[in-house]
Amino acid sequence: MWRLNLIKEISDKGKWIISSDVAIVIADKYPKAQQHFLVLPKADISSIFELTREHLPLLEELHLLASNIVEVRGLQLKDFNVGFHAEPSLERLHLHVISQDFVSSCLKKKQHWNTYNTELFVPYEVLRDKLKAENSYQRLSPDVIHALLATPLCCNQCDFKPRNLPLLKEHLEQHLQNKSGQNNCVIYTKIETAKDKINKMDAKEKNEHIKEQIIQNIRNELKKKINDKEHILIESDQAVVVKADYPKAQYHFRVVAKADIADVTKLTVDHLPLLDHMMDLAVQIMEKQDHLPSRNFRIGFKADPFWDRLNMHVISHDFYSMSMKRIKHWNSFNTELFMPFQQAYIMLSSEGAIEPISEEESEKLKLQVPLHCNQCDFESPLLLSLKAHLYTHWQRKEHERGIKKQTDSIVKLLDEVKLDDNAQPLPSAISEGQSQQEVSTENVYGPPVNMMNQANINNPFRGTPPRFGIAAAAPPQRPGNPFVNAPRHQWPGNPFARAPRPQQKVYPYGYASRPQLAGNHLGPPSRPYGIHRDNMQPRGPMPPRFSPAPANTVFASFNQQPRFAPNNPQNQRPRAPKQQQNQRPRAHNPQQNQRPRAPNPQQNQQNPPQLTYNPNQTKFRPKHKPTPAANAGQPAAK
Ligand code: AMP
Ligand code: ZN
């Protein structure tokens, strides 16, 4: 049936001039002008009368192909009429793309002319707006169609009104000749534009090209960030600090160089001062995260950089993030793909350059399994189970942080009320298995985000399936294993230990110890509770205490002997008598516990002489009802 001629036509792929996923361009078999194309959807839509708002994206795609075909021919869209017939004769929706010359032997009837030059032709924009407004396109009545077909002829390029079609055709040819005459006056060399090139490509080439362009755009993203003041956390004349867009840990920043240096392998000795400067900015941003000690950050460069601009990662070592989605994400920070700052610095100063990692090596490292936990000797071939495992590290640290927070506030209050100048925090308030480094930190007050809450959108492990058995994946608690908390590179027989660790070397610019600083950068650490993890040695018998505790000393509530570090001057300070220590606020003594904490007027009356703090000092005013100290370390799991 002739109405299906167009459908038949497009079933032959040889007729397709260009196509996309959803539409095809063919030449009109009976062109009514020098250039005449039809754009048809691949979907079986018979006519404009079927269209609704839902088809707007499709319409846009048809129009896009229309402009493509015009460009492919080296012509301009403004010289074309692009639209639909109000009363189409053939099935399968089709968009006419017809040049305005209307010089063609197929233009034989007045009606032909009028279907393109009256309201019988619905420009693309008109149909689009009609659908937007009314959600459909209504058929014209037969009377209207009849009247429009009979419209007196009028030139579409001037106001000439010919008596008949042959006169119009003659006239139109004149217009065309004039135009080509004008064109002959200029030397016309068509410069092939990028778009022309794309249009000449076949579908596969086009896809590849588009992919490349998208990647290049992303690669340029960091350069743009340098000018995007809104995203800059710290800025200097040489570099900026921005938050990583897809953070791979709880804290993840980039220090981006302003100079046009593509990556770490393009650095020379002359760039050492720049590296120094970038490290200064890294230190500044770490200091802003004042509850997290600097040694909990890794600082360095991706050996296989993606971004088209030198950028240095400053990332917390929890690797606790929803954006940690692929094995390569993990490996890019936890294999040789990550080049620590010191290593880059030393390579540059001693060898003058940093060799790029080979593509082959890089691909291998990216996909390397099993994945090794960076905080203990757990390993797994599955990223998801590693994530579940990292969660347990995180959970434990939060727990410790909570306890530390509680203990610190007690200590501060004690200082405040000057109960006992010589008093020390209760060491027994730290439970077995706690990381020493965490409790020795000065500023531990993190953001009050309840990450334990599975419903909390800020919980990066929200999506970790429970079937992974977080408890089962807990880091091995091998009794007596001194390395269980030690950095991976310090384990005996660790295949990933990279010797020599540059950060342990003498460092020319004085940064050697920075990432390992205890406490924070501002001063020497205070370590009231014992040795630092980085210095951790196999723990021998408890060092002798200043004076042995009497046999009846109450440690029962914590079921543990307190730890004291050897050679820690703090622990050598004269200590309060044991009995007095045990009388300081303890979990099991709610009355005492409440005394120095809450600005409770009633309590104040009961114990007026002991309260010297100002209740208006909100710093020490509890936000919630005081909780027993023993529970304070438990993250609020509500
Ligand atoms: P319409 O009046 O909008 O339905 O227009 C149908 C268009 O299809 C006309 O411009 C015809 O010249 C064109 N046409 C008819 N048969 C074929 C065919 N087999 N292949 C390509 N175009 C065709
Ligand atoms: Zn004219």
Side-chain angles (χ1 to χ4, degrees):
M1 205 172 88
W2 62 270
R3 282 192 69 87
L4 302 177
N5 278 356
L6 284 183
I7 296 174
K8 236 186 270 167
E9 195 73 13
I10 57 167
S11 66
D12 175 5
K13 281 196 178 180
K15 300 276 170 66
W16 299 8
I17 306 174
I18 52 174
S19 67
S20 75
D21 286 352
V22 295
I24 301 153
V25 182
I26 59 168
D28 192 297
K29 196 168 178 180
Y30 311 102
K32 307 297 184 298
Q34 296 282 291
Q35 308 283 341
H36 191 175
F37 307 98
L38 302 174
V39 189
L40 300 92
K42 286 183 179 171
D44 189 14
I45 300 169
S46 69
S47 74
I48 45 170
F49 309 119
E50 271 183 27
L51 297 177
T52 64
R53 275 187 205 113
E54 274 178 26
H55 296 99
L56 287 169
L58 172 74
L59 272 197
E60 211 173 292
E61 179 78 13
L62 298 184
H63 189 257
L64 191 74
L65 278 192
S67 47
N68 279 354
I69 187 65
V70 170
E71 276 175 43
V72 168
R73 296 293 153 112
L75 301 164
Q76 288 184 308
L77 201 60
K78 69 173 176 53
D79 298 325
F80 281 76
N81 287 351
V82 180
F84 301 85
H85 275 149
E87 190 57 48
S89 54
L90 300 186
E91 270 189 27
R92 180 63 62 90
L93 176 73
H94 53 276
L95 175 68
H96 288 269
V97 184
I98 183 165
S99 57
Q100 288 162 353
D101 53 80
F102 290 100
V103 173
S104 164
S105 56
C106 295
L107 188 81
K108 289 176 177 157
K109 299 179 190 165
K110 183 181 179 181
Q111 287 91 324
H112 287 159
W113 172 260
N114 279 337
T115 56
Y116 292 96
N117 291 285
T118 64
E119 278 157 46
L120 288 170
F121 191 81
V122 187
Y124 158 77
E125 291 81 4
V126 173
L127 180 69
R128 181 195 61 195
D129 295 346
K130 193 126 190 146
L131 286 180
K132 270 187 199 167
E134 296 167 20
N135 200 28
S136 69
Y137 181 80
Q138 297 300 318
R139 211 178 213 110
L140 297 176
S141 72
D143 287 351
V144 173
I145 293 172
H146 195 258
L148 286 169
L149 283 173
T151 309
L153 296 172
C154 178
C155 174
N156 64 334
Q157 294 156 73
C158 70
D159 47 15
F160 174 61
K161 292 184 175 55
R163 268 182 291 117
N164 53 38
L165 189 69
L167 284 178
L168 175 62
K169 287 186 68 151
E170 222 173 82
H171 175 84
L172 291 170
E173 250 175 76
Q174 204 57 52
H175 274 302
L176 184 66
Q177 272 174 23
N178 290 348
K179 274 209 175 131
S180 50
Q182 282 166 16
N183 281 347
N184 288 342
C185 296
V186 291
I187 301 162
Y188 180 70
T189 43
K190 182 164 160 34
I191 298 163
E192 198 178 46
T193 62
K195 259 191 182 167
D196 292 341
K197 278 186 199 154
I198 295 169
N199 285 326
K200 277 186 193 160
M201 296 171 179
D202 65 25
K204 199 177 157 209
E205 279 174 328
K206 225 182 242 176
N207 275 346
E208 282 299 310
H209 180 85
I210 290 169
K211 228 191 271 171
E212 244 169 59
Q213 274 195 331
I214 291 172
I215 290 174
Q216 191 51 47
N217 267 347
I218 299 172
R219 281 163 62 92
N220 285 333
E221 211 45 34
L222 270 190
K223 289 186 198 170
K224 286 183 212 149
K225 280 238 164 90
I226 294 171
N227 301 316
D228 181 1
K229 302 288 174 212
E230 211 182 296
H231 288 102
I232 293 175
L233 302 173
I234 303 175
E235 178 167 19
S236 75
D237 55 334
Q238 296 177 57
V240 297
V241 181
V242 292
K243 222 171 163 178
D245 277 345
Y246 299 98
K248 299 296 185 295
Q250 240 179 312
Y251 303 91
H252 189 179
F253 308 95
R254 293 169 192 275
V255 184
V256 188
K258 284 188 174 176
D260 197 5
I261 304 165
D263 60 67
V264 72
T265 66
K266 308 291 184 305
L267 291 173
T268 68
V269 183
D270 296 341
H271 292 116
L272 285 175
L274 172 65
L275 283 196
D276 272 336
H277 179 78
M278 287 171 79
M279 178 50 107
D280 278 342
L281 296 188
V283 169
Q284 279 181 40
I285 196 69
M286 286 189 297
E287 278 171 0
K288 283 178 196 273
Q289 324 309 313
D290 61 355
H291 56 283
L292 200 64
S294 57
R295 70 173 160 278
N296 283 7
F297 281 95
R298 314 189 80 195
I299 302 168
F301 303 88
K302 294 268 187 81
D304 177 35
F306 171 79
W307 304 96
D308 207 0
R309 178 54 60 92
L310 177 70
N311 71 102
M312 185 171 84
H313 291 265
V314 180
I315 183 165
S316 58
H317 79 174
D318 51 83
F319 292 107
Y320 184 60
S321 158
M322 280 206 275
S323 302
M324 180 68 80
K325 284 180 180 159
R326 294 175 209 282
I327 283 179
K328 68 174 181 184
H329 294 155
W330 174 260
N331 282 340
S332 68
F333 287 100
N334 292 285
T335 65
E336 282 79 357
L337 286 171
F338 191 78
M339 178 179 279
F341 174 84
Q342 288 84 359
Q343 192 181 334
Y345 201 104
I346 286 170
M347 269 173 96
L348 213 52
S349 11
S350 60
E351 288 159 40
I354 294 165
E355 283 291 308
I357 195 161
S358 77
E359 214 167 288
E360 197 184 317
E361 170 97 359
S362 153
E363 287 308 309
K364 212 174 90 194
L365 286 167
K366 269 184 204 165
L367 303 174
Q368 181 174 281
V369 281
L371 307 169
H372 299 265
C373 174
N374 63 330
Q375 293 161 71
C376 74
D377 52 6
F378 175 85
E379 62 178 46
S380 166
L382 296 175
L383 181 64
L384 227 57
S385 61
L386 175 68
K387 284 184 72 164
H389 169 83
L390 288 171
Y391 174 80
T392 64
H393 279 296
W394 179 87
Q395 193 179 28
R396 207 176 57 180
K397 290 228 168 84
E398 283 300 292
H399 176 76
E400 287 158 4
R401 201 153 68 83
I403 289 178
K404 170 65 182 152
K405 190 172 163 181
Q406 180 76 20
T407 317
D408 270 8
S409 63
I410 292 169
V411 171
K412 274 190 181 163
L413 279 167
L414 286 173
D415 282 351
E416 191 84 1
V417 298
K418 295 185 173 48
L419 269 181
D420 176 2
D421 268 355
N422 295 324
Q424 293 206 14
L426 276 180
S428 52
I430 310 158
S431 61
E432 182 61 64
Q434 255 179 250
S435 151
Q436 296 290 327
Q437 79 174 35
E438 288 303 302
V439 291
S440 65
T441 309
E442 281 283 52
N443 302 306
V444 292
Y445 304 103
V449 180
N450 176 9
M451 298 274 196
M452 300 299 292
N453 184 350
Q454 284 289 303
N456 186 334
I457 52 154
N458 289 325
N459 179 356
F461 278 81
R462 194 162 51 113
T464 305
R467 69 188 165 82
F468 272 88
I470 280 163
Q477 300 286 322
R478 282 188 275 142
N481 175 5
F483 296 96
V484 81
N485 278 330
R488 191 170 179 78
H489 66 270
Q490 292 178 3
W491 306 338
N494 172 12
F496 289 86
R498 271 165 258 152
R501 291 290 282 194
Q503 66 208 49
Q504 288 156 4
K505 282 193 174 177
V506 175
Y507 185 68
Y509 283 77
Y511 289 120
S513 59
R514 278 213 177 156
Q516 295 179 336
L517 285 183
N520 60 29
H521 297 281
L522 301 172
S526 77
R527 294 173 184 164
Y529 299 121
I531 53 174
H532 188 277
R533 183 167 103 171
D534 287 358
N535 306 323
M536 204 180 244
Q537 299 294 324
R539 207 171 350 124
M542 243 1 133
R545 300 176 55 181
F546 209 66
S547 57
N552 63 350
T553 305
V554 180
F555 286 118
S557 63
F558 297 97
N559 197 21
Q560 193 211 347
Q561 290 283 316
R563 293 181 202 164
F564 295 101
N567 305 324
N568 186 336
Q570 291 218 26
N571 289 326
Q572 288 167 11
R573 276 200 277 141
R575 310 198 57 173
K578 289 287 144 326
Q579 201 47 42
Q580 207 178 331
Q581 278 201 17
N582 290 330
Q583 280 170 3
R584 276 192 276 126
R586 299 289 296 264
H588 55 269
N589 189 340
Q591 205 188 352
Q592 288 214 4
N593 219 16
Q594 282 168 12
R595 184 165 37 83
R597 303 175 80 222
N600 180 337
Q602 216 180 348
Q603 291 272 351
N604 288 355
Q605 277 165 15
Q606 281 170 12
N607 306 293
Q610 280 145 334
L611 275 171
T612 56
Y613 77 93
N614 175 3
N616 294 326
Q617 238 176 314
T618 51
K619 202 161 87 173
F620 297 125
R621 198 186 293 154
K623 284 185 188 123
H624 322 285
K625 268 168 84 182
T627 51
N631 295 333
Q634 303 291 344
K638 266 150 248 142

